[in-house]
Amino acid sequence: LPASGVLKKHFVGDKVMVLARAGLWQEVVTVPASQTYLMPDGMSFEEAAAFLVNYITAYMILFDFGNLRPNQSVLIHMAAGGVGTAAIQLCKTVENVTIFGTASASKHDALRESGVAHPIDYRSMDYVEEVRKISPKGVDIVLDPLGGSDTTKAFNLLKPMGKLITYGVANLLTGQKKNLMAMAKTWWNQFSINALQLLHLNKAVCGYHLGYMDEEFELIGGVVAKLVSLYSQGKIKPRIDSVWPFEQVSPSRGAGWQPPCVTLQAQPGAELVCSGVAELRDLLPFTQKEQLLLSSLQQKPKERGGVSCKGSQVT
């Protein structure tokens, strides 16, 4: 989970972003110095809180796994979400990349403006057929946060030498309540393939989970440095959809609500940025908390060279 604040230990007054797996909602936190990153000039706290997880994920699946190059094509599922928005912006840093993006029809105008050549309404259209109409051979890269049968469809959409990167199982969550039958169906239909099949088909399958890379300090730090450079050049920029007080947030918006990033405000000067309806639903039980500020790994500075952070307007 990402957060941002003002560094108060080693570099007094420096604005930092924090990448940690848990313990975010506290006024004062202690985190390892290796998991703090300086915010670039001009970046707001809201942008910083929406930056690390979304853009690190999008960068690594597109470039480290996907090896995105000029004149290639990419299918981005959940293109209007946090990672999807980041992936679109990063695709635009490479020459002549054709972007297909699945999202509900209400988001298509925004997707076109952001650079998606072919938005597809997954609710009313078969996205496989729509992609094949435009590109009969398929696409070079598929970014798959869905899982289940959609991963199989994604693999079949790949061109020879294509790459499928799976980084989530969003299909396990359907509607506002847990549906065990739907979860079981998704799990049963999960994609499976053996090495011999990959050999014959000339395709690649990759799996990515940022949460299990929290010890890869040099690797993640290198990615963040590249992303900060792109931000400073004006090539990427987190899109904050809106700011909402906690008491005005309810699950009544429905499972199809998937804004790029939403800022939830607990009280003046205390905000939290998240992406997507699933995270919003997870936050609802915590509406009575008075402070929702920085993140922490619950470790003391002396143990791992950590720093103490406190912010007055932290997300």
Side-chain angles (χ1 to χ4, degrees):
L1 291 173
S4 61
V6 178
L7 190 61
K8 291 293 185 181
K9 184 70 174 178
H10 299 312
F11 309 99
V12 176
D14 279 353
K15 297 179 180 180
V16 297
M17 301 174 283
V18 177
L19 189 64
R21 292 187 67 179
L24 293 178
W25 297 346
Q26 301 178 65
E27 183 177 0
V28 181
V29 301
T30 300
V31 295
S34 57
Q35 292 180 233
T36 63
Y37 306 93
L38 285 174
M39 291 167 52
D41 293 339
M43 177 178 279
S44 68
F45 283 120
E46 289 81 6
E47 288 178 335
F51 191 70
L52 289 180
V53 169
N54 289 328
Y55 283 83
I56 291 173
T57 298
Y59 186 95
M60 296 189 80
I61 60 181
L62 274 174
F63 295 109
D64 290 329
F65 272 145
N67 192 26
L68 179 63
R69 301 190 301 276
N71 304 312
Q72 290 192 324
S73 55
V74 181
L75 171 60
I76 302 174
H77 284 298
M78 298 173 67
V83 174
T85 299
I88 292 167
Q89 293 179 8
L90 289 168
C91 283
K92 299 301 292 181
T93 67
V94 180
E95 184 180 0
N96 197 32
V97 171
T98 301
I99 306 173
F100 297 82
T102 63
S104 57
S106 62
K107 304 183 180 86
H108 285 192
D109 288 342
L111 289 180
R112 290 189 184 94
E113 291 177 4
S114 66
V116 176
H118 307 290
I120 302 170
D121 183 1
Y122 65 93
R123 293 176 173 177
S124 62
M125 299 178 178
D126 183 330
Y127 65 83
V128 173
E129 291 183 2
E130 295 302 311
V131 171
R132 293 288 188 190
K133 288 178 184 177
I134 299 164
S135 179
K137 289 186 176 181
V139 295
D140 296 291
I141 300 171
V142 179
L143 307 186
D144 172 37
L146 302 176
S149 60
D150 284 293
T151 306
T152 302
K153 294 177 182 178
F155 184 80
N156 292 333
L157 267 176
L158 292 176
K159 295 178 179 178
M161 301 303 294
K163 302 174 184 68
L164 163 63
I165 301 97
T166 177
Y167 65 99
V169 196
N171 283 336
L172 286 176
L173 299 175
T174 58
Q176 292 300 313
K177 297 181 180 180
K178 290 183 179 179
N179 186 327
L180 295 180
M181 288 298 295
M183 294 175 68
K185 181 180 178 181
T186 298
W187 187 259
W188 180 260
N189 290 325
Q190 195 63 22
F191 176 74
S192 178
I193 195 169
N194 62 52
L196 189 59
Q197 290 172 299
L198 290 176
L199 180 68
H200 292 164
L201 294 171
N202 292 299
K203 298 179 181 181
V205 180
C206 308
Y208 179 86
H209 194 309
L210 178 59
Y212 291 100
M213 300 183 70
D214 50 3
E215 297 295 324
E216 300 295 333
F217 305 124
E218 292 186 10
L219 177 60
I220 299 300
V223 172
V224 173
K226 295 173 184 176
L227 290 169
V228 166
S229 176
L230 289 171
Y231 177 90
S232 298
Q233 296 173 49
K235 294 183 178 181
I236 61 175
K237 184 179 179 67
R239 178 184 170 191
I240 308 301
D241 181 83
S242 55
V243 178
W244 291 80
F246 263 145
E247 59 269 18
Q248 293 185 18
V249 176
S250 75
S252 61
R253 284 182 170 270
W257 187 47
Q258 182 71 25
C261 275
V262 175
T263 301
L264 301 182
Q265 189 174 60
Q267 62 181 31
E271 300 176 348
L272 182 70
V273 173
C274 67
S275 302
V277 68
E279 292 183 49
L280 288 175
R281 188 161 54 243
D282 292 339
L283 292 173
L284 289 174
F286 295 89
T287 56
Q288 300 303 314
K289 283 184 175 288
E290 295 182 355
Q291 301 290 340
L292 296 178
L293 297 176
L294 270 177
S295 63
S296 170
L297 289 183
Q298 306 300 325
Q299 294 163 316
K300 297 179 180 180
K302 293 181 180 179
E303 293 176 349
R304 293 186 58 184
V307 296
S308 297
C309 300
K310 181 177 181 179
S312 59
Q313 50 175 345
V314 181
T315 55

